[in-house]
Amino acid sequence: MSSSLRARPQTRWWALIVISLTQLVVVLDGTIVNIALPRAQADLGLTDGQRQWVVTAYALAFGALLLLGGRIADYVGRKRIFMIGMLGFGAASLYGGLSQQGWELILARGLQGAFAALLAPAALALLTVTFPSGRERNTAFAVFGTVAGTGAAIGMLLGGVLTEFTDWRWCLLVNLFFVVIGVVGGAIVLTESRAEGDNRYDVWGALTVTLGLGLLVYGFTLAENGWGDPLTIAFLVAGLALLGVFVWVESRVSQPLLPLRVVADRVRGGAFLIQGVAGAIMIGATVYLTFHLQFVLGMGALQAGLASLPLPIATMVLAPVATKLLPVIGPRPMLIVGPLIAAAGLFTLSGITPDGAYLVQIAPALVLLGIGMGFVFIPLQNLALSGVAPHDAGVASAVANSAMQIGGSIGLSVFTAVYAASVGGHAQAEVSPEGLTDAYGWTFIAASILMVAASVIAACMIRGSKDVLLPAQGDAVLAAH
């Protein structure tokens, strides 16, 4: 049996705190720069296209490298990779905070994403083997899921506070405090675990999936120039072709980067797809909310951060209720109804006007979105790793995180294309407040359609009774030990 499972009970709960803190850093860094973007853009002379890449570079590097990061964590040791990821993430954050040119900030964000790709799967794999089954596992994953669900919105609030009272650079430098806590806490309370047996790296799988995802996301970013643009089509086709080669490679190698059994399970596959949609909303759609708050309503960075609070507050208030409901009704009803509630919130946001009152047009919509996301995130982490053996724990957690980040990258690119089409390709400074509001409204309509699609995915793929979807004992996990 893994040494993680022999850890003392009190140590396990301290480990949960450290791991959840890690997840908070990884998720909030996807959005913490959102509110700081206008000031960073002015300070470093970024174009509108480069501004998007400050967000996309992080999510793209994170999502594209997560599978490799998960396997490295499984083979080298999850605690060891956790510590390396933490230190590298801190160094990249320091570099970004001190950047003097736009390309340096974008490069630093990419490096942050690369080290997060080591850190995140190691953390979630440690959580999986530390809480293998039963009521404690449900509680641990509820805490972890709540952090994952609220991290993006907390990032916007923290970004607003730091930008208003210090400087936009502190949106990156603040990570150093989290890194120190994570490294010290991890060294004390985390116990090493790794996959046993003959472990080999799947080099061709790593190359094809990383290049495939990279080309695919870049193709979506080019869609703002038009979906019929030859370059856009070329990158999208090339990305899809490489991902097809990746699947072919994985079905034939003895030690695949992504064992197809991890994603072939219908329930887990559905969970991964819903995770991707959730990422598109929490990473992609929230960018345009912050733009509306600042560029149209004229809010400062702190005001815009505070204005985003109804979303995480609603999710956190709902979390205890959803956690108690989960073993009673099972995850399927929650994953069908939750996205529909979130879709209603996003559709409400599509009705914003330049002179509309925040308390009338935006706050109620954010509450609905937060409630809906609470019903999504609480069961999602559990389902994504249900029945996964410890040997695949790192890669399964990597797929869950990768789905979120790649979904965010593609979502932001699609929403940017919708926005660009609405404003006719004009620069933001050339568009009236009415034109901007109309463009933002269309992005929220697109986001609401995605959430309805997530509900349909849940209805079709998350099948089975609550006892089947949430087994009382982690027999598959324990048997593998």
Side-chain angles (χ1 to χ4, degrees), residues 228-424:
D229 183 77
L231 201 58
T232 300
I233 295 173
F235 274 100
L236 291 176
V237 170
L240 290 173
L242 278 173
L243 291 178
V245 173
F246 168 70
V247 173
W248 180 81
V249 169
E250 298 310 277
S251 68
R252 282 160 175 78
V253 298
S254 58
Q255 295 284 331
L257 180 65
L258 172 58
L260 296 182
R261 61 182 176 270
V262 173
V263 294
D265 178 84
R266 183 177 64 184
V267 172
R268 278 201 302 274
F272 294 147
L273 288 174
I274 296 170
Q275 191 95 335
V277 175
I281 304 307
M282 298 305 292
I283 296 173
T286 54
V287 169
Y288 285 95
L289 172 63
T290 63
F291 288 168
H292 177 70
L293 294 174
Q294 294 186 78
F295 293 136
V296 177
L297 298 187
M299 292 186 180
L302 176 60
Q303 277 184 297
L306 290 173
S308 69
L309 272 180
L311 199 166
I313 289 176
T315 301
M316 287 186 286
V317 168
L318 180 73
V321 178
T323 303
K324 291 180 180 179
L325 276 177
L326 183 59
V328 177
I329 66 174
R332 188 169 188 263
M334 296 171 68
L335 288 173
I336 292 174
V337 174
L340 295 178
I341 297 174
L346 290 163
F347 187 76
T348 302
L349 275 179
S350 71
I352 52 177
T353 58
D355 55 355
Y358 166 81
L359 291 176
V360 175
Q361 293 189 346
I362 298 176
L366 291 182
V367 170
L368 282 175
L369 180 57
I371 292 172
M373 285 302 183
F375 278 123
V376 170
F377 282 114
I378 293 302
L380 207 52
Q381 294 287 354
N382 225 322
L383 283 184
L385 296 173
S386 177
V388 174
H391 191 83
D392 293 328
V395 70
S397 62
V399 175
N401 275 289
S402 183
M404 181 93 172
Q405 297 299 324
I406 293 298
S409 297
I410 293 176
L412 177 57
S413 301
V414 170
F415 298 146
T416 299
V418 171
Y419 164 81
S422 182
V423 298

Side-chain angles (χ1 to χ4, degrees), residues 26-27 57-67 110 113-114 116-117 120-121 401-402 405:
V26 167
V27 176
Y58 177 83
L60 175 55
F62 190 3
L65 295 173
L66 265 168
L67 285 173
N401 275 289
S402 183
Q405 297 299 324

Side-chain angles (χ1 to χ4, degrees), residues 60-213:
L60 175 55
F62 190 3
L65 295 173
L66 265 168
L67 285 173
L68 180 59
R71 265 311 184 225
I72 292 174
D74 282 340
Y75 294 168
V76 176
R78 289 141 187 166
K79 178 178 178 179
R80 182 178 300 175
I81 294 303
F82 175 92
M83 303 296 278
I84 292 172
M86 266 288 183
L87 292 171
F89 193 86
S93 299
L94 178 62
Y95 176 50
L98 299 178
S99 60
Q100 298 300 311
Q101 298 185 58
W103 67 265
E104 290 181 307
L105 176 59
I106 294 171
L107 175 59
R109 291 286 288 165
L111 290 172
Q112 279 185 312
F115 282 106
L118 291 176
L119 180 61
L124 190 50
L126 285 168
L127 182 67
T128 303
V129 297
T130 302
F131 296 91
S133 64
R135 186 174 181 179
E136 288 186 345
R137 177 186 173 95
N138 290 340
T139 302
F141 274 90
V143 172
F144 191 85
T146 302
V147 170
T150 59
I154 291 173
M156 289 193 292
L157 173 61
L158 184 57
V161 172
L162 292 173
T163 303
E164 186 77 19
F165 291 111
T166 57
D167 186 85
W168 67 264
R169 298 178 183 276
W170 276 101
C171 293
L172 291 94
L173 297 175
V174 70
N175 290 325
L176 299 178
F177 296 101
F178 292 109
V179 167
V180 170
I181 296 172
V183 169
V184 174
I188 295 172
V189 303
L190 296 180
T191 306
E192 186 60 280
S193 72
R194 61 171 57 87
E196 304 298 334
D198 180 21
N199 297 322
R200 300 177 184 176
Y201 289 105
D202 175 14
V203 177
W204 286 110
L207 286 174
T208 52
V209 73
T210 302
L211 288 175
L213 289 173

